[in-house]
Structures are given as C-alpha cells and as structure tokens.
Amino acid sequence: MSVLANEEFIKRILNLGIRCTEYSARHNKMLTKQLSNRRVVVDILVLLFGLGAWIGINGIYVQLPLLVNTAPEGWSLPAHMVMLVQFANLGPILYTLYIKYTTWAHDKLIIYGMLAAAVLSTFTLAFVYSKTSVIFNNVHSTALLSLMFVTALVGCTSSVLFMPYMRNYREIYLVSYLVGEGLSGFVPSTVALIQGVGGNPACKNVTKAGSSKLEFEPFYPEPRFSTEIFFIFIATLLFLSFLSFLGLNKLPVAIGERVKLPSSMETLPTDTRAPPSYKTNSGWTMSKRTYYYLLTMMAVVCFLGHGTLPSIQSYSCLPYGNVAYHLTITLASMAGPLAMCLGFIIKSPKINLLSGLMALVILFSCFVLYLAIKSPTPPLQHTWVGELVVVLSWILVSGLIGFVKMGITTLFRPDPGRGLYYTGVATQIGSLIGAIVTFVLVNYTKTFDSYSPCDAVH
C-alpha cells in the first residue's frame, strides 16, 4: 500500500512538472511573440524623441543653485524664468491658430525646426549664459533669459505637437514616448546631483589696503564640473533627440511601424465643439458641482505648483545654504514625475482622496511660503534639522502636486466632451495668475529679502 501511494505521488509530481513546463513554454512563446511584434530600435528612437520635449528648460532650471549666485537678478531669477515660461505658452496658441487657418499642415518640418532651435540655443547658452546687458537702467541676464525662452517655447509647444505626432506610429510606441518625456526631467536632475554645488559658501576677506573697515564676500566652491559642460551635455542630448526624429522619418525599420490613420482620427482627441458635459450617452457621468470643483482644484494646484512656489524657492531654501537649495531643486524635480507614475497603479483616484491631498498641498505650500517670507533669518537656520525640514517639505509638496494633477486628469480622461480641454484651460489660467502675482511680489514689494552668508561676519 505504501509503495502504491509513493508511485501515485511520484506520478502526480511528474504530471505537475509537465504542466508547469508546458505553461512556461506557452508563456515564453507569448512573450517572444509580443517582443517580436515591436522593434526595439524604434522604441529607442521614440524614447529619445520624447526626451527632447522638456529637457532644455529642465536643464536650465536645475542649474539655478549655481546661476543665482552670479546672475544680476540674484534670488529673483527664478521668478523671471517662471514668467518667461508662461509667455512661452504663446507657442501652442500660435500652432493652434496655424492648423485652424491654413491647409499647409507639415508638422514634421515644424518639429525639425523646433528641435534644431533647441539644440542651437542650448549649445550657445553654454558659452554666453553669463552675458548681461542694461534694460531700463537695470542689468539683466539677457542671454540666459532669451535663450531659455526658446527652449521653453519648444517644451510648451511639444504638448500639442510632439505627442500628437506619435499617432502616426503604432500605439505600443506611445509608452516609449511617455517614458522619454518623463526622463526629460529625471536625467538633468540626476546629472545635477552628480555635479553638485561644491558645498556652502565661505566668507573671504576683501578689505582694501589702508581701510579700517573689514569687508567680506561669499566665496562659492567649484562644483565637480562647470555649468558650461552641463549645458553642452544637455545640448548633446537634444541633438540625439533631433537625430532620433530624423531616424523615425527616414529609417526603413521605423517607416515600417507607421500606421495609416482613418479619417476619423484626423481630428483632435477631444471634441472642442461640444458643450461642457456632465452626463453623456457614452456612460461617463459627473455632477456639475464635482465638475467645477475639480477644475477649480486644478487651477489652484497649478497656481501654486507652476506659478508661485518655483518663483519663491530661492528665498525659501538659500538661507539654509547652497547644498540645501541644490538638493531641493534636484530631488523635488524628480518627485513630481515619480508621483505621477502612480497613475499606472491607481487607475481612478477617489475625489475624497484628492481633496485630502489638496489640503496637504496647501498646508506644505503655506509652510514653504512662510520660510520664504522669514528670509533672511528663517527658523532652524544653520542647523542640519532646518536643512532636512526644508528639503523634505519641498519634496513632499512637489510630489503631492504631481499626484493631484495626475488624479484630476485621470478623472476627466473618459469625458467625450470638453473635460480635458477645460482642464488645460484651468492649468494655464492658474499658472499664469500665480506667476504674475508672485513676480510682482518678488520684484516690486519688500515681501521677500535675500540673504548674504557674510552679513554677520565682522
């Protein structure tokens, strides 16, 4: 009886092993079929194409800890940059008018031109970013700001030009584009972390001979490599993006992955002629109150995330030292995209969850704004606790803003009416108002004061 039982047990084990082997073979065959159904070369080309969307403006932004020390605008430089990015939204407006009022639609040539402009402006920036000129009796970083405007124009227009162009290729490559676009913020931040800022400044005695008054100036240690090298690196990546787009249109392997679009796909993904819809025949429903509540939330979160907070970040962080500001810029730039990646896990976030997170956004925003107002002597200054608190606060507020934006967009995505259109409108209105209000407060009031590490040295 024991022998028969053992034989039966062995047979079951063997059968189980055979079934597992068959399942593994089927799974491997399916995986091989999926991988063979796409071209890795095209994935790489699409990824590099997406990388060129925002890498120019993100690259300039993560260099702020080094730029604010020498720029004539000083700590108000971020506010100038935020305003220019808002003006760069003129690009999508002009493109929209172009496709509406002309029959000569050559998106490919426009993309070539924009990527070429981004390459040239970023490469030129590496050599002239410190050049200044006098405008209205004030010295300004005209070279930096004007060339930055070109890169911002490319980034803002990419949302209505680059991604829609991907509809010419099979849908499986859209993910590769989105990954590349996400890396356009992640890569510059990572390189900037490696670059460092050389540490916090030291005070150097610059007292003139024969003078009885001691004078000190801050001396900033050199980073691991210069801003010039960083901008050349970003320009190189943009050139690779240009070559990748060229490859997508010229290489046979990429041309073979293109699709012939039906006439129904020649229009915008959202019907802009439809009225605001709260209940549709397609089954998508949302109450009127919730509809406007979410749009208001989007406007407020963009008022803070795109307009106000980036403009006052230097006043909030620099009193704690260059290292704290550097870590805040780079890590917070990573936090937003990483938080938005949670959209792949949380398919449809609850409105109550978004409301709770929005409350945290306002709470942390008020805290970092309080630190900026208290400049040049915020609480816990010159302590590691203060540095840790300010860095963590900015990482959290950036991550929360990214997640709330993603959540609101996710809720409006199924709307066959104008939900996504109004989401974009709320985004632009909130960002523009926040940028204008903060620009006026920073430059024309005494709300925020800069800090010199040598003021207390005698």
Side-chain angles (χ1 to χ4, degrees), residues 75 300 303-305 307-317 319-320 328 360-379 389-390 393-394 397 401 434 437-439 441-442 445-449:
W75 290 17
V300 172
F303 174 92
L304 296 170
T308 301
L309 297 184
S311 301
I312 57 95
Q313 195 169 37
S314 54
Y315 295 93
S316 178
C317 302
Y320 294 95
T328 297
L360 290 177
V361 167
I362 294 175
L363 179 64
F364 280 109
S365 297
C366 290
F367 177 70
V368 297
L369 184 61
Y370 165 76
L371 295 181
I373 293 174
K374 295 299 291 183
S375 175
T377 54
V389 168
V390 71
S393 298
W394 275 98
V397 75
I401 286 174
V437 170
T438 314
F439 182 83
L441 289 175
V442 168
T445 70
K446 296 182 179 180
T447 306
F448 305 100
D449 294 319

Side-chain angles (χ1 to χ4, degrees), residues 323-456:
V323 174
Y325 186 32
H326 170 67
L327 291 176
T328 297
I329 287 279
T330 52
L331 296 179
S333 297
M334 296 179 182
L338 288 176
M340 294 179 75
C341 289
L342 292 175
F344 292 104
I345 301 174
I346 305 175
K347 299 297 182 181
S348 182
K350 302 295 183 183
I351 295 177
N352 289 337
L353 172 63
L354 294 178
S355 299
L357 295 179
M358 187 64 203
L360 290 177
V361 167
I362 294 175
L363 179 64
F364 280 109
S365 297
C366 290
F367 177 70
V368 297
L369 184 61
Y370 165 76
L371 295 181
I373 293 174
K374 295 299 291 183
S375 175
T377 54
L380 300 176
Q381 191 179 21
H382 306 304
T383 66
W384 68 268
V385 176
E387 294 181 21
L388 180 64
V389 168
V390 71
V391 172
L392 289 179
S393 298
W394 275 98
I395 292 174
L396 287 172
V397 75
S398 298
L400 289 169
I401 286 174
F403 185 85
V404 171
K405 286 169 53 184
M406 177 277 301
I408 296 173
T409 305
T410 300
L411 292 176
F412 276 109
R413 188 174 295 140
D415 179 15
R418 302 189 71 179
L420 287 177
Y421 171 76
Y422 284 119
T423 302
V425 171
T427 298
Q428 296 303 326
I429 291 177
S431 302
L432 181 60
I433 295 176
I436 293 174
V437 170
T438 314
F439 182 83
V440 172
L441 289 175
V442 168
N443 292 280
Y444 300 103
T445 70
K446 296 182 179 180
T447 306
F448 305 100
D449 294 319
S450 58
Y451 158 79
S452 174
C454 299
D455 284 347

Side-chain angles (χ1 to χ4, degrees), residues 206-246:
V206 292
T207 304
K208 297 180 181 179
S211 175
S212 59
K213 182 181 178 182
L214 291 175
E215 295 183 24
F216 294 88
E217 289 184 357
F219 173 74
Y220 296 93
E222 293 293 328
R224 292 185 180 90
F225 53 87
S226 65
T227 298
E228 290 89 341
I229 294 176
F230 181 87
F231 283 147
I232 290 174
F233 171 76
I234 297 298
T236 303
L237 292 181
L238 279 166
F239 184 62
L240 288 177
S241 180
F242 177 86
L243 293 179
S244 298
F245 184 67
L246 182 66

Side-chain angles (χ1 to χ4, degrees), residues 147-161:
L147 291 172
M148 190 217 74
F149 176 76
V150 176
T151 60
L153 200 64
V154 175
C156 291
T157 312
S158 69
S159 59
V160 295
L161 186 58

Side-chain angles (χ1 to χ4, degrees), residues 70-82:
T70 57
E73 292 84 1
W75 290 17
S76 67
L77 179 62
H80 287 78
M81 290 175 60
V82 170

